[in-house]
Amino acid sequence: MSVERVNHVVLWVRDVKRSADFYSSVLGLSVIEQHGDEKAFLRSPVSPNHHDLGLFRSETAGKATRGSPGMYHTAWQCESLSSLVDIRERLRSMDAFLGGTDHGATKSLYAVDPDGLEFEVMWLTPRETWTEGRQPFGPLDLEAELRRTESGHAEE
């Protein structure tokens, strides 16, 4: 027996409304349930889950410190490479974009939310392009990837 996939993520945040607005703007999530300024539940419009993200207010949450114990990041998958480009632009406009990495099997963007929590937004490449063992790793050139996929290697 093994798990199938991650169903949802819950984050401690300093300001539930601010974080809900951020994740709605960047990832297109909708608030489906709100309990004052204490907690909120958000869902992607294409998700089969009750919620994909839970936000709970923490009075003691400090600014996230890279490398301290705790979860490093959550990865959100988008449907296409062009969606990844759109999300990159939203992240840049909010000064939340950290950079991008080509992992071979994924093309990934990295960003931080208003509390400094890092997250990833990624596009999963077609399975037939994956290699076994160590995947390539390097800087992400989204424009070159778009040209490559448009020239005959269609997105899935």
Side-chain angles (χ1 to χ4, degrees):
M1 179 177 160
S2 67
V3 298
E4 183 179 337
R5 64 184 177 87
V6 174
N7 181 273
H8 66 270
V9 173
V10 177
L11 303 175
W12 289 109
V13 297
R14 290 191 302 256
D15 184 323
V16 170
K17 181 177 179 353
R18 179 184 67 179
S19 293
D21 289 347
F22 176 84
Y23 284 103
S24 295
S25 296
V26 171
L27 301 180
L29 303 179
S30 298
V31 175
I32 56 145
E33 190 176 324
Q34 178 112 23
H35 299 269
D37 60 356
E38 293 299 313
K39 57 187 164 183
F41 298 94
L42 293 84
R43 179 176 55 223
S44 164
V46 297
S47 175
N49 299 330
H50 173 269
H51 63 278
D52 298 300
L53 178 63
L55 302 170
F56 285 61
R57 186 171 67 87
S58 169
E59 294 184 23
T60 60
K63 190 77 171 171
T65 305
R66 187 176 181 93
S68 63
M71 185 171 60
Y72 172 34
H73 72 261
T74 301
W76 299 92
Q77 184 173 334
C78 62
E79 65 187 31
S80 68
L81 201 50
S82 56
S83 294
L84 200 60
V85 173
D86 292 341
I87 291 170
R88 179 189 61 187
E89 296 315 309
R90 281 185 247 153
L91 291 168
R92 282 181 171 163
S93 74
M94 300 176 92
D95 288 329
F97 182 67
L98 295 176
T101 302
D102 183 341
H103 294 284
T106 66
K107 310 304 177 192
S108 300
L109 305 176
Y110 294 91
V112 291
D113 78 358
D115 285 302
L117 299 171
E118 189 169 327
F119 63 97
E120 175 183 355
V121 181
M122 46 77 67
W123 174 64
L124 187 63
T125 63
R127 190 171 188 97
E128 62 270 10
T129 66
W130 300 356
T131 58
E132 294 301 321
R134 188 168 173 86
Q135 289 288 312
F137 181 85
L140 177 61
D141 184 341
L142 274 176
E143 286 67 26
E145 286 297 325
L146 280 170
R147 286 191 302 274
R148 186 184 67 73
T149 58
E150 289 169 358
S151 70
H153 301 92
E155 297 179 23
E156 295 220 338

